């Protein structure tokens, strides 16, 4: 039995502890916003937040999230989503949940980026955004993160 | 668990029939509702259709049934704009749903009338039919209103879904039932001078569902509960191409948790395309099926275990030297004579180029869900290819085509791989064994092992340059597999293969009086298929890099050299000039330093795209190469910026075109930098993304795109044409930076760190 908090709601699932969180979310809990891409932690389509940090759910055994806080795209409400719409980022959209979770974690985990200069933010994006997008919508993902970062900056004003 | 099952996302509103123009009623039931695609609530099922594409909802809004699959190219939004334009609607009054499989939705002008989303052909094919459908629907609503009010139709006006005439006013919804009951009033589409929506950039209709996780891709399908609990399966194919299944030891797998069965299938050809021998592991969940599949010991026999990267390289090279089997695909003037003359009095430029096999690697792995009963076969799949799927299932299962209902989901990338139907037909073959639905999901490793790869190709090219610096003859010999041999008999494939695999040489925009193009067809046991931009993806690289070499030998600037040879192709010439202006070609950087720029221009799928790349090559620490580098080994490449000028003729949504240009260029850049399938022991030796470096965020350059309408008043393709020019633009820029030519892709094989 695995017990954790999913999108602010406590859940318990009767499943083998070795089962990857990805498949527990998709198959046992029916939340299909988190995607399967490679199964080996390479592509990032399965990115979720584990205690606020971007985590690849396909290589995270559910036993490892016991008692912890998991957030998926279904539970995300973040300026990156508005920015994605404003910049018209998605193409096929399959990697999008993972990209959004990664982008949200990047900005939330580094509040200083909101007021950093463009070059610093760009360097952080190149370094931290390792999710693959086969449509290569990276140019707009970058623009979306810039836009969301500036929204965060405004929200952080005293 | 404390979460209740979210239930079915699939709302299957069962329409018994829908009405086609002319009163023909076809028994096409069970189309996926708009909710299925995550676009909006399901439409009222009681209303009728104004032709095959349009239905006015009595409760408001208009439903557009789009025959083309949405795989990121934005076709659902583009065609909704065309409809809204003609029907005087705002875009948010249009709800899109994916058309079911039907001959009524075959491509109107290309692709053998198949319902197939490929060849950058959807806007080209569907714009006019959609515009006519919208104009006819509007005229029918107006005629209905005029008749109800007993006024002349000429007094009626339409705006934002409302018909008015004097004090009379009716919404389209209020007219819907009467309009559908009467006959259609045919009307011609508007003149482009009156367009209000086309050429603007409204937000895409599919994006909201893609940023909140509700969009339903093939892998996310939840079948209706009344069909029973959906089983999950995964598949195993022979690692070695062409081998057959000899035996299976599934004793251990059968004992594993959740396993329902392990099934063996022999190859079966249901249509043009075949399914191979395969093993299916069926379980309650995919994860259980995946674990059990790892415990299956399958023995495969046959194939060509001697096939590896070396053998492929040797075959390609041998193909360049074999004249007997070589066929001439284009001959004008006397290229050989001119080159021989240039050898005496001028310069001959000679080069051999090559590209590797490439994989589609769509982000969504191959998957499909099937439910097979005695009466019908119901399929949910992310497919580009409704007609071939229907044919393949009918052939393999021995069922009538009319019994097959295909629900096309959103595609997590298509790129050509999902125009193949193997993965969907396999799902139907597995589901035949059960009375419940079965979802089949391929692990990424199976996807890499069983691709329909972009074929490896090589080109041997020679050109004469006169003493005066003029290009005096071009000779090209191409060597590589011919994809068409999969679909048509080999002699016919050879006959038409030259213009297909010889694309961009066969139709060469440059004025070169003396040309000789030959193609040697290579027969290798590696499956090949249509990879985004197909033949243009290699020939664009060969031609545009080689012409750069010729320009250099002639002592002419590469942009000027192209302009000098494009008098007969004014659209190309204008595009070269445009992209050069965008990139400030020939001008130094703001700090006065020299910039390394390269250009490529390639026509494909009815559009022309010119790209300029700016690169920076940084030598390894401690070394200071001169103007011409001895080696690129250990140096670092950064593609800093790409300018794109895109001439696709008449267009709908410039924002979507820019997005497609950025993305296709990026995909082509990833391929140019690092992608290559590797083979050993007769099998693919590239198992997953860690061995196949598609483009990453850190490699993506800044991009600037201009959409140019330079052609006739007809649309060109959008999804693919921006891919081919990037490889030559970057390689030519690397030459500008280092004096070293990249004649073999990927660029990383030169030792450059990408």
């Amino acid at each position: 039995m695995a017990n954790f908090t999913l999108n602010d709601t406590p859940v318990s699932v009767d499943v083998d502890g070795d089962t990857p969180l990805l498949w527990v979310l998709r198959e046992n809990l029916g939340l299909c916003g988190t995607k399967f891409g490679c199964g080996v932690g390479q592509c990032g389509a399965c990115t979720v937040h584990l205690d606020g940090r971007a985590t690849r759910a396909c290589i995270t055994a559910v036993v490892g999230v016991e008692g912890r806080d998991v957030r998926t795209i279904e539970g995300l409400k973040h300026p990156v989503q508005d920015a994605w719409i404003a910049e018209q980022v998605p193409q096929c959209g399959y990697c999008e949940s993972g990209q959004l979770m990664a982008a949200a974690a990047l900005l939330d985990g580094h509040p200083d980026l909101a007021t950093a200069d463009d070059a610093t933010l760009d360097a952080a994006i190149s370094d931290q955004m390792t999710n693959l997008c086969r449509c290569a919508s990276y140019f707009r993902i970058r623009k979306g993160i810039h836009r969301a970062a500036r929204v965060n900056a405004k929200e952080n004003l005293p | 668990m404390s979460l209740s099952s979210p239930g079915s996302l699939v709302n299957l509103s069962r329409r018994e029939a829908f009405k086609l123009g002319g009163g023909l009623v076809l028994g096409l039931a069970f189309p996926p509702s708009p909710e299925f695609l995550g676009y909006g609530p399901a439409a009222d099922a009681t209303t009728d259709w104004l032709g095959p594409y349009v239905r006015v909802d009595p409760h408001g809004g208009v439903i557009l049934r789009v025959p083309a699959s949405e795989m990121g190219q934005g076709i659902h939004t583009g065609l909704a704009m065309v409809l809204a334009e003609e029907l005087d609607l705002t875009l948010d009054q249009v709800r899109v749903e994916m058309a079911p499989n039907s001959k009524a939705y075959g491509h109107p002008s290309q692709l053998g009338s198949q319902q197939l989303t490929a060849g950058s052909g959807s806007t080209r094919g569907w714009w006019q039919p959609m515009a006519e459908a919208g104009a006819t629907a509007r005229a029918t609503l107006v005629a209905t209103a005029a008749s109800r009010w007993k006024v002349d139709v000429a007094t009626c006006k339409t705006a934002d879904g409302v018909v008015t005439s004097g004090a009379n006013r009716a919404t389209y919804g209020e007219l819907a039932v009467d309009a559908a009951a009467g006959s259609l009033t045919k009307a011609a589409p508007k003149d482009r001078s009156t367009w209000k929506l086309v050429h603007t950039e409204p937000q895409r209709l599919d994006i909201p569902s893609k940023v909140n996780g509700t969009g339903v891709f093939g892998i996310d399908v939840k079948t209706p509960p009344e069909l029973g609990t959906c089983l999950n399966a995964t598949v195993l194919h022979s690692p070695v191409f062409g081998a057959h299944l000899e035996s299976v030891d599934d004793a251990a797998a059968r004992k594993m948790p959740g396993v329902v069965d392990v099934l063996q299938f022999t190859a079966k050809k249901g249509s043009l395309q075949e399914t191979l021998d395969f093993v299916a592991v069926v379980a309650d969940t995919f994860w259980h099926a995946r674990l059990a599949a790892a415990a299956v010991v399958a023995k495969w026999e046959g194939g060509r275990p001697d096939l590896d990267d070396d053998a492929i390289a040797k075959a390609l090279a041998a193909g360049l030297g074999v004249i007997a089997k070589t066929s001439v695909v284009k001959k004008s003037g006397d290229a050989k004579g001119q080159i021989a003359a240039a050898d005496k009095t001028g310069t001959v430029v000679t080069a051999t180029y090559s590209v590797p096999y490439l994989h589609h690697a769509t982000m969504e792995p191959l998957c499909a869900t099937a439910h097979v009963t005695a009466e019908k076969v119901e399929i949910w799949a992310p497919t580009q290819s409704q007609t071939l799927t229907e044919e393949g299932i009918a052939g393999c299962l021995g069922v009538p085509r009319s019994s097959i209902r295909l629900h096309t989901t959103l595609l997590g990338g298509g790129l050509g791989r999902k125009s193949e139907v193997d993965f969907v037909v396999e799902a139907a073959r597995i589901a035949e064994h059960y009375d419940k639905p079965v979802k089949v999901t391929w692990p990424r490793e199976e996807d890499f092992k069983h691709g329909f790869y972009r074929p490896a190709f090589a080109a041997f090219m020679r050109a004469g340059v006169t003493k005066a610096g003029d290009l005096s003859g071009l000779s090209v010999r191409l060597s590589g597999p011919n994809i068409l041999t999969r679909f048509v008999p080999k002699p016919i494939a050879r006959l038409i293969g030259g213009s297909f695999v010889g694309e961009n040489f066969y139709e060469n925009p440059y004025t070169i009086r003396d040309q000789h193009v030959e193609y040697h067809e290579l027969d290798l046991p590696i499956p090949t298929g249509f990879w985004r931009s197909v033949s243009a993806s290699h020939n664009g690289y060969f031609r545009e890099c080689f012409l750069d070499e010729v320009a250099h030998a002639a002592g002419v600037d590469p942009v000027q050299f192209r302009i000098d040879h494009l008098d007969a192709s004014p659209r190309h010439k204008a595009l070269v000039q445009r992209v050069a202006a965008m990139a400030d070609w020939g001008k130094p950087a703001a700090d006065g330093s020299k910039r390394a720029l390269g250009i490529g221009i390639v026509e494909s799928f009815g559009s022309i795209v010119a790209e300029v790349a700016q690169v920076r090559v940084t030598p390894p620490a401690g070394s200071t190469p001169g103007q011409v580098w001895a080696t690129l080994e250990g140096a670092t490449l950064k593609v800093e910026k790409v300018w794109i000028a895109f001439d696709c003729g008449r267009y709908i949504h410039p924002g979507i075109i820019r997005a497609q240009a950025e993305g296709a260029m990026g995909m082509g850049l990833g391929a140019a930098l690092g992608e290559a399938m590797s083979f050993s022991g007769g099998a693919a030796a590239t198992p997953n993304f860690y061995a196949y470096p598609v483009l990453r965020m850190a490699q993506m350059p800044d991009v600037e795109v201009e959409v140019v309408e330079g052609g006739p008043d007809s649309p060109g393709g959008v999804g693919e044409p921006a891919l081919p020019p990037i490889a030559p633009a970057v390689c030519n820029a690397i030459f500008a930076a280092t004096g070293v030519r990249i004649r073999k892709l990927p660029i990383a094989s030169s030792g450059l760190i990408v």
Side-chain angles (χ1 to χ4, degrees):
Chain A
M1 191 70 77
N3 303 283
F4 56 97
T5 302
L6 175 60
N7 299 330
D8 306 317
T9 306
V11 293
S12 49
V13 193
D14 185 11
V15 67
D16 189 276
D18 286 343
T19 311
L21 175 62
L22 168 67
W23 297 106
V24 175
L25 293 170
R26 290 184 59 87
E27 302 199 296
N28 300 90
L29 296 169
L31 294 186
C32 288
T34 307
K35 303 303 186 200
F36 166 50
C38 68
V40 291
Q42 286 277 309
C43 76
C46 64
T47 304
V48 298
H49 291 175
L50 182 56
D51 294 333
R53 296 176 71 119
T55 301
R56 302 213 159 158
C58 76
I59 50 168
T60 302
V62 71
V63 68
V65 307
E66 186 68 27
R68 298 174 72 180
D69 195 12
V70 175
R71 186 168 300 281
T72 67
I73 188 72
E74 289 88 351
L76 186 73
K77 279 219 178 303
H78 195 277
V80 289
Q81 288 161 297
D82 298 327
W84 249 237
I85 290 174
E87 298 291 348
Q88 294 285 284
V89 173
Q91 291 186 29
C92 92
Y94 193 77
C95 74
E96 229 64 59
S97 301
Q99 301 280 3
L100 286 159
M101 298 309 286
L106 170 66
L107 294 179
D108 292 352
H110 303 84
D112 50 312
L113 288 176
T115 48
D117 60 32
D118 282 351
T120 304
L121 182 52
D122 271 332
I125 292 169
S126 291
D127 187 48
Q128 303 281 318
M129 290 296 292
T130 55
N131 294 33
L132 301 181
C133 171
R134 192 61 168 144
C135 302
S137 68
Y138 299 111
F139 183 62
R140 290 181 187 223
I141 292 174
R142 189 180 289 276
K143 287 207 290 186
I145 296 174
H146 274 260
R147 179 183 280 264
R150 301 320 175 206
V151 170
N152 270 358
K154 277 182 205 150
E155 283 178 354
N156 291 342
L157 286 177
Chain B
M1 57 180 269
S2 57
L3 268 192
S4 63
S5 160
S8 171
L9 284 175
V10 185
N11 182 354
L12 292 167
S13 50
R14 305 207 164 194
R15 299 175 196 117
E16 289 309 310
F18 77 93
K19 195 174 147 197
L20 284 170
L24 176 66
V25 174
L26 289 186
L28 285 170
F30 325 124
S33 72
E35 190 179 346
F36 187 75
L37 296 176
Y39 289 173
D44 187 301
T46 60
T47 51
D48 268 323
W49 290 76
L50 302 174
Y53 313 118
V54 182
R55 188 175 62 173
V56 181
D57 184 344
H59 304 301
V62 170
I63 317 299
L64 173 66
R65 188 173 267 181
V66 177
S69 305
E70 178 59 66
M71 48 192 181
Q73 82 280 42
I75 191 62
H76 285 188
T77 303
L79 294 181
M81 287 169 69
V82 170
L83 184 86
E85 184 75 66
E86 294 298 335
L87 257 171
D88 289 332
L89 294 164
T90 56
L91 190 57
D92 59 8
Q93 291 174 307
V94 180
R95 297 204 295 277
V96 174
E97 69 173 47
M98 181 67 207
N101 55 312
S102 164
K103 273 190 176 161
Y105 300 117
H107 196 282
S109 54
Q110 295 170 297
L111 308 168
S113 299
Q114 288 180 55
Q115 191 179 353
L116 171 62
T117 308
S120 294
S122 295
T123 299
R124 290 192 284 167
W126 292 109
W127 187 336
Q128 188 65 19
M130 288 297 157
E132 286 170 4
T136 293
R138 180 188 168 277
T140 304
L141 290 162
V142 165
T144 305
S147 156
R148 186 180 289 179
W149 301 327
K150 300 189 170 45
V151 300
D152 191 324
V153 290
T155 66
C156 294
K157 294 192 173 89
T158 51
D160 298 345
V162 176
V163 187
T164 54
S165 170
N168 296 307
R169 181 184 188 280
T171 65
Y172 290 177
E174 288 161 356
L175 297 163
V177 175
D178 286 353
S183 59
L184 293 176
T185 305
K186 293 261 179 208
K190 290 176 180 174
D191 184 85
R192 60 180 291 169
S193 64
T194 67
W195 286 345
K196 291 178 189 149
L197 194 53
V198 173
H199 278 185
T200 67
E201 303 188 12
Q203 293 190 345
R204 282 175 60 149
L205 301 175
D206 54 338
I207 283 184
S209 79
K210 290 174 176 177
V211 301
N212 65 18
T214 60
V216 177
F217 295 86
I219 203 168
D220 305 324
V221 163
K222 291 173 181 169
T223 50
E226 63 266 27
L227 301 183
T229 307
C230 189
L231 296 168
N232 279 276
T234 195
V235 284
L236 291 164
H237 303 84
S238 166
V240 174
F241 300 118
H244 63 270
L245 185 58
E246 190 68 22
S247 65
V248 175
D249 177 356
D250 57 15
R254 285 177 177 279
K255 290 183 198 137
M256 293 181 66
V259 171
V260 173
D261 208 347
V262 178
L263 303 169
Q264 297 173 39
F265 295 86
T266 51
K268 207 165 183 182
K269 192 161 181 161
S271 64
L272 281 172
Q273 298 176 339
E274 59 188 339
T275 53
L276 307 169
D277 285 4
F278 70 100
V279 178
V281 180
V282 186
D284 54 350
T285 64
F286 168 77
W287 181 245
H288 281 150
R290 177 91 174 96
L291 284 179
V296 169
V297 184
K299 264 186 77 182
W300 310 88
E301 291 290 341
R304 284 264 307 273
D306 58 326
L307 184 81
D308 58 16
D309 291 339
D310 273 355
I312 294 163
K314 278 180 189 146
L316 280 172
L320 295 178
V322 175
I323 294 165
K325 277 180 76 181
T326 299
S327 59
V328 176
V329 299
K330 175 154 186 164
K331 193 175 188 305
S332 62
D334 178 19
K336 283 176 185 173
Q338 290 292 338
I339 292 166
D343 204 17
K344 291 189 184 112
T345 59
T347 313
V348 173
V349 184
T350 301
T352 300
Y353 280 76
S354 67
V355 298
Y357 282 93
L358 296 176
H359 185 43
H360 298 89
T362 57
M363 288 306 300
E364 178 189 33
L366 299 172
C367 55
T369 304
H371 183 234
V372 180
T373 66
E375 293 78 35
K376 74 170 200 268
V377 178
E378 198 166 11
I379 303 285
W380 297 259
T383 178
Q384 297 174 243
S385 195
Q386 287 77 15
T387 301
L388 285 178
T389 297
E390 192 184 290
E391 279 179 19
I393 290 171
C396 271
L397 270 57
V399 298
R401 287 177 64 168
S402 59
S403 71
I404 299 165
R405 305 284 178 259
L406 172 53
H407 310 277
T408 303
T409 64
L410 290 173
L411 277 69
L415 309 175
R417 179 61 180 91
K418 289 172 185 165
S419 68
E420 309 286 349
V421 306
D422 53 335
F423 62 104
V424 192
V425 176
E426 284 182 2
R429 292 187 67 187
I430 296 166
E432 232 185 336
H433 293 257
Y434 302 96
D435 57 4
K436 302 168 183 172
V438 184
K439 181 191 283 185
V440 182
T441 306
W442 290 35
R444 178 60 68 188
E445 290 76 10
E446 284 294 309
D447 168 60
F448 266 97
K449 272 184 209 162
H450 291 279
F452 290 89
Y453 310 100
R454 197 287 306 272
F457 249 84
F460 174 67
M461 293 172 282
R462 289 192 307 150
V465 179
T466 67
K467 219 170 186 178
D470 293 328
L471 172 58
S472 69
L474 175 68
S475 166
V476 180
R477 186 175 295 164
L478 296 164
S479 167
N482 182 355
I483 304 168
L484 297 181
T485 55
R486 284 181 52 214
F487 302 99
V488 293
K490 280 192 175 177
I492 297 169
R494 292 216 171 103
L495 210 62
I496 59 178
S499 61
F500 174 71
V501 301
E503 190 188 350
N504 282 286
F505 286 113
Y506 192 75
E507 295 142 345
N508 193 339
Y510 299 105
T511 305
I512 304 169
R513 197 191 64 197
D514 302 286
Q515 287 186 79
H516 188 97
V517 183
E518 302 170 337
Y519 166 50
H520 174 72
E521 184 185 297
L522 216 56
D523 200 8
L524 288 167
I526 298 172
T528 59
F530 302 95
W531 186 88
R532 195 177 189 178
S533 80
V534 197
S535 308
S537 69
H538 44 79
N539 289 351
Y541 163 64
F542 296 155
R543 189 191 73 195
E544 290 295 301
C545 278
F546 186 64
L547 275 182
D548 228 70
E549 297 203 35
V550 174
H552 182 72
V556 182
D557 170 82
V559 163
Q560 190 58 47
F561 183 86
R562 284 171 173 80
I563 291 170
D564 291 345
H565 288 83
L566 286 170
D567 280 340
S569 307
R571 284 174 75 187
H572 292 76
K573 187 173 180 170
L575 217 55
V576 168
Q577 289 165 328
R578 184 72 221 121
V579 79
M582 287 168 68
D584 283 330
W585 183 272
K587 292 179 190 155
D591 64 2
S593 65
K594 183 177 176 280
R595 296 188 301 155
L597 301 179
I599 185 170
I601 177 167
V602 181
E603 178 176 356
S604 61
F605 308 96
S607 293
I608 311 162
V609 182
E611 296 176 8
V612 167
Q614 175 178 312
V615 308
R616 183 176 301 274
V617 183
T618 309
S623 71
T624 48
Q627 200 122 43
V628 175
W629 297 33
T631 174
L632 298 177
E633 191 73 46
T636 305
L637 171 69
K638 172 73 185 162
V639 181
E640 296 177 322
K641 175 133 191 194
V642 175
W643 294 265
I644 304 176
F646 198 132
D647 179 357
C648 59
R650 179 153 60 97
Y651 59 84
I652 299 171
H653 188 308
I656 291 177
I657 297 168
R658 289 200 306 276
Q660 286 299 295
E662 294 158 12
M665 181 281 289
M667 182 174 166
L669 178 60
L673 293 177
E675 288 178 32
M677 282 301 296
S678 181
F679 300 91
S680 90
T686 306
N688 208 319
F689 285 113
Y690 49 78
Y692 194 83
V694 306
L695 195 80
R696 288 170 180 273
M697 172 63 83
Q699 296 170 309
M700 184 72 182
D702 279 342
V703 199
E704 203 176 307
V705 186
E706 273 191 28
V707 179
V708 177
E709 187 173 357
D713 188 22
S714 62
V718 168
E720 296 167 273
L723 194 153
I726 190 60
V730 168
C731 292
N732 292 338
I734 292 170
F735 174 78
T738 66
V740 178
R741 290 286 175 193
I742 304 282
R743 298 195 182 96
K744 183 182 173 209
L745 294 183
I747 292 167
S749 67
S750 70
L752 259 179
I753 297 161
V754 299

